[in-house]
Amino acid sequence: MINLSRPNISEQAIESVVEVLRSGQLVHGPESETFEQELAAYLGSREAILVSSGTAALHLALMALDIGAGDAVLIPDFTFPATANAVMAVGARPVLVDVSAHTYNLDPQRLREIIQSWHGPERLRAVMPVHEFGHPADMTAISGIAEEHGLYVVEDAACALGANLNGRKTGTFGDLACFSFHPRKTLTTGEGGLLTTDNQELAQRARRLRNHGMERTDTGMRFIEPSLNYRLTNFQAALGRAQLPSLDGWVSDRRELAALYMENLAALASEGLLTLPNADPGHSWQTFMVVLNGRFDRAEVIAKLKAAGIESNLGAQSMQEIGLYGRASGTCKVGPNLYAQGLALPLYERMTPDQIRQVAESLTAVLSGAD
């Protein structure tokens, strides 16, 4: 079976975890502190705060900005529900914005239209663009619109560690940014996440909020505000640290494999059987998703690929179609189609060119042979 994804855990990485386990220092400790420093340097961010998941990072970012009941946050319709869940977790309302059919990212024009037509009753406080599948969102346009309307920008960069926009790393454009280290991501700590910012006050508050609202003093500890436990363990940090030096090489490998997919699936695209993703040069390719022509039943395509020894799946969800998160000011059309017809194909850096060609040939046989 060619798996949809596969984490890249070396024996050296495993041994680094074992060493921490043997040390007895299991909660946030020296490995965590060092990993934060290394991640901040890698991204070019002033502050990096490790947390227990990407969702925890999103939640803490909104908490740090005092976004809550009576507020609204603009999010793309096409994303994983964690984006919307974090908004609802602080008591705010997610406002759905349709995405671009080419990039799968929040559409700046639709963002502007929804802001201009907004009548509440909630107050718009922030926009949360998602770098979907590692494709950088149009942060120049989005940040400009946010500045015009006095909105915070929280980047959901869960899939985008290693991606860049015009040479600048994703996760460094907003007031805060959030990453995930889930096993589907290029760098993984099992579960885990990261919050980044250049604002030291926000960083200090985020660190406090991830640890029960507590600050340590020379005489002990002081609880400043009610909060949660969102700490990452020391041995998870060791696992991530061991992978970080390889990250750029892995992203480069994924870019080469994605280019091979584009080449081998070009004929299907020219025949109108599917649409290929946009290949931005800064894309980190956490996922390679094509969009099937509406004549195809995606579930049948997935089943036939599985019978051929190839794992595939949907890409992400439409918040509008799930029905838990309200509706946009106007109907989202692109997101629901991506949700219905998006097909994620296997992609991980240890795949071989022959495996890419095998997937492409199998998908060609399935789509060309369909009635």
Side-chain angles (χ1 to χ4, degrees):
M1 175 70 72
I2 300 178
N3 298 114
L4 187 61
S5 67
R6 183 175 295 176
N8 201 344
I9 310 294
S10 67
E11 288 301 319
Q12 178 188 356
I14 293 171
E15 184 56 35
S16 68
V17 173
V18 172
E19 288 180 12
V20 175
L21 293 174
R22 286 176 176 149
S23 75
Q25 178 63 58
L26 303 188
V27 299
H28 184 94
E31 289 290 326
S32 304
E33 300 288 343
T34 303
F35 193 28
E36 288 179 335
Q37 295 167 12
E38 292 170 344
L39 286 164
Y42 173 80
L43 291 166
S45 179
R46 190 170 185 176
E47 302 283 349
I49 301 99
L50 285 170
V51 292
S52 55
S53 70
T55 307
L58 294 169
H59 190 194
L60 287 186
L62 297 176
M63 290 175 67
L65 294 171
D66 286 318
I67 292 174
D71 296 331
V73 178
L74 297 136
I75 68 169
D77 174 58
F78 186 67
T79 182
F80 187 72
T83 312
N85 287 341
V87 176
M88 297 192 76
V90 296
R93 173 183 173 182
V95 178
L96 309 181
V97 182
D98 210 355
V99 298
S100 163
H102 303 291
T103 67
Y104 314 152
N105 288 329
L106 187 149
D107 184 332
Q109 181 58 35
R110 292 292 297 132
L111 174 67
R112 184 182 294 279
E113 291 169 0
I114 288 178
I115 292 172
Q116 291 175 342
S117 64
W118 181 255
H119 298 298
E122 297 87 358
R123 180 174 56 145
L124 294 176
R125 293 288 308 285
V127 55
M128 190 180 287
V130 178
H131 304 292
E132 194 63 56
F133 305 141
H135 188 298
D138 186 349
M139 294 308 300
T140 300
I142 292 168
S143 296
I145 294 168
E147 185 175 0
E148 286 177 33
H149 296 277
L151 304 175
Y152 292 115
V153 176
V154 179
E155 292 176 75
D156 184 340
C159 299
L161 187 65
N164 69 82
L165 181 62
N166 300 323
R168 180 176 170 183
K169 289 285 197 300
T170 52
T172 62
F173 292 87
D175 296 282
L176 293 149
C178 306
F179 296 86
S180 170
F181 300 142
H182 182 272
R184 280 286 308 276
K185 307 304 187 280
T186 307
L187 184 152
T188 182
T189 57
E191 290 282 3
L194 180 74
L195 192 153
T196 59
T197 183
D198 285 337
N199 185 310
Q200 287 185 304
E201 290 184 8
L202 287 177
Q204 181 180 5
R205 189 170 188 210
R207 288 192 171 93
R208 182 170 72 229
L209 289 169
R210 75 170 170 190
N211 190 24
H212 302 288
M214 179 185 74
E215 289 184 355
R216 294 192 179 277
T217 67
D218 292 339
T219 57
M221 59 185 69
R222 193 162 58 105
F223 291 90
I224 309 299
E225 58 184 319
S227 191
L228 304 155
N229 173 11
Y230 277 156
R231 298 188 303 265
L232 187 77
T233 64
N234 209 35
F235 56 88
Q236 287 176 288
L239 180 60
R241 283 195 67 205
Q243 296 167 65
L244 186 57
S246 301
L247 178 61
D248 281 342
W250 292 346
V251 171
S252 179
D253 292 341
R254 286 169 176 256
R255 287 173 178 157
E256 291 180 9
L257 293 169
L260 193 57
Y261 261 139
M262 300 290 277
E263 177 185 332
N264 281 268
L265 296 174
L268 291 179
S270 66
E271 294 169 16
L273 301 181
L274 57 75
T275 303
L276 292 170
N278 189 58
D280 187 280
H283 204 317
S284 61
W285 294 105
Q286 181 265 339
T287 292
F288 188 95
M289 188 190 85
V290 300
V291 184
L292 300 175
N293 183 292
R295 63 184 269 208
F296 298 112
D297 183 322
R298 182 181 57 197
E300 290 183 5
V301 174
I302 290 172
K304 289 177 180 178
L305 288 175
K306 183 177 181 181
I310 295 165
E311 184 180 17
S312 59
N313 208 336
L314 57 79
Q317 286 78 16
S318 163
M319 302 302 97
Q320 175 179 282
E321 295 305 297
I322 288 176
L324 298 175
Y325 307 109
R327 302 184 73 85
S329 300
T331 303
C332 292
K333 297 180 179 178
V334 177
N337 182 61
L338 297 178
Y339 178 36
Q341 297 302 114
L343 180 70
L345 298 174
L347 183 66
Y348 47 93
E349 56 277 359
R350 287 184 292 171
M351 282 186 74
T352 66
D354 283 345
Q355 287 177 315
I356 295 289
R357 284 187 281 268
Q358 180 183 342
V359 174
E361 289 170 2
S362 295
L363 182 58
T364 299
V366 169
L367 300 186
S368 299
D371 294 330

